[in-house]
Amino acid sequence: GLPAEVLNFGVSGYNTQQEIETLRDKGIAFNPDVVVLAFYINDAAVSCGGILHNLAIGKETPSSSGLGTRLLMNSALGRLVLAGTAPLQRDPESLRSMIRNLSRNTLAQSFESLRNLAAGNRFRVVVVFFPRLADLSGSANRRTCDEVRALAATNQFDFLDLTDAFRDAGQTDPIAADAIHPNRAGHRVAGHSMARRILADLLGPDALAK
């Protein structure tokens, strides 16, 4: 019953870093009032489009230090060019070092970028934590949720953990399409939870009674 427009910029497989760059490149032009960032437990790592697999099986790799590594970590084009043209390396320790660098956690840096975007463009951020559905009470879910919650608080983002909503709904109806993805009922639970949180935060508790 409210005049609202919802735009979906989600891309399958993107991590948080890529999502924020998509927001910067495409979403900001729509002058959002609220940005909802959906977070899953593997979204903190760098997403390299399969290059880590190629490196691990011994395809041509660039140097694990200096300019090559910086390009690999920050430029998809750089990764493509360097992986295709650099001399073959057979040093296992260099390869392991490169994979560790490329797999680093980028979440703190990504949230800081999002905070700067929000401040410069005057929108609010709601970070929504999607747990691993096959293990709602698992330590990996809890540990990652606590990390994301703390970073959200540091950057003054609103935070919503969907774990309890999924657990409660799952007691009566299946909410999972597989170990990771909600089914239609699970998406409905997530959508209702997000809508209620956004309404309460933006318009106050009275809005939920209307």
Side-chain angles (χ1 to χ4, degrees), residues 128-139:
V128 181
F129 180 77
F130 280 78
R132 178 176 169 81
L133 297 176
D135 190 18
L136 289 174
S137 300
S139 59

Side-chain angles (χ1 to χ4, degrees), residues 5-48:
E5 180 181 37
V6 179
L7 302 177
N8 180 9
F9 288 90
V11 179
S12 179
Y14 268 19
N15 66 3
T16 302
Q17 187 179 40
Q18 292 166 311
E19 290 163 352
I20 293 169
E21 289 307 311
T22 300
L23 173 66
R24 187 195 312 276
D25 186 47
K26 298 179 179 179
I28 293 300
F30 291 88
N31 298 315
D33 298 303
V34 179
V35 168
V36 177
L37 176 69
F39 186 91
Y40 183 66
I41 59 176
N42 65 351
D43 284 352
V46 173
S47 179
C48 297

Side-chain angles (χ1 to χ4, degrees), residues 28 31-34 115-125:
I28 293 300
N31 298 315
D33 298 303
V34 179
R115 182 187 67 206
N116 293 334
L117 274 178
N121 295 276
R122 298 185 178 183
F123 60 79
R124 296 183 63 168
V125 176

Side-chain angles (χ1 to χ4, degrees), residues 69-139:
T69 295
R70 291 197 296 274
L71 284 172
L72 275 169
M73 288 192 292
N74 295 297
S75 167
L77 177 60
R79 292 196 297 268
L80 177 64
V81 172
L82 289 171
T85 63
L88 181 66
Q89 278 195 359
R90 293 295 184 184
D91 179 4
E93 181 53 40
S94 294
L95 182 57
R96 284 193 291 268
S97 175
M98 179 181 296
I99 291 176
R100 285 194 298 269
N101 285 333
L102 289 171
S103 300
R104 77 199 194 288
N105 187 318
T106 63
L107 193 56
Q109 176 185 350
S110 297
F111 272 34
E112 182 180 353
S113 296
L114 182 56
R115 182 187 67 206
N116 293 334
L117 274 178
N121 295 276
R122 298 185 178 183
F123 60 79
R124 296 183 63 168
V125 176
V126 181
V127 178
V128 181
F129 180 77
F130 280 78
R132 178 176 169 81
L133 297 176
D135 190 18
L136 289 174
S137 300
S139 59

Side-chain angles (χ1 to χ4, degrees), residues 117-201:
L117 274 178
N121 295 276
R122 298 185 178 183
F123 60 79
R124 296 183 63 168
V125 176
V126 181
V127 178
V128 181
F129 180 77
F130 280 78
R132 178 176 169 81
L133 297 176
D135 190 18
L136 289 174
S137 300
S139 59
N141 271 337
R142 201 73 270 145
R143 184 170 59 250
T144 306
C145 183
D146 290 343
E147 177 190 2
V148 177
R149 186 195 308 273
L151 282 172
T154 297
N155 289 280
Q156 300 182 319
F157 299 156
D158 293 310
F159 182 80
L160 174 62
D161 177 8
L162 292 177
T163 302
D164 288 343
F166 281 142
R167 182 184 293 113
D168 293 345
Q171 293 177 359
T172 56
D173 297 299
I175 49 90
D178 54 39
I180 298 173
H181 303 97
N183 60 16
R184 184 173 182 177
H187 277 103
R188 186 179 300 113
V189 170
H192 286 176
S193 298
M194 286 187 279
R196 290 181 64 85
R197 180 59 180 270
I198 291 169
L199 286 171
D201 285 344

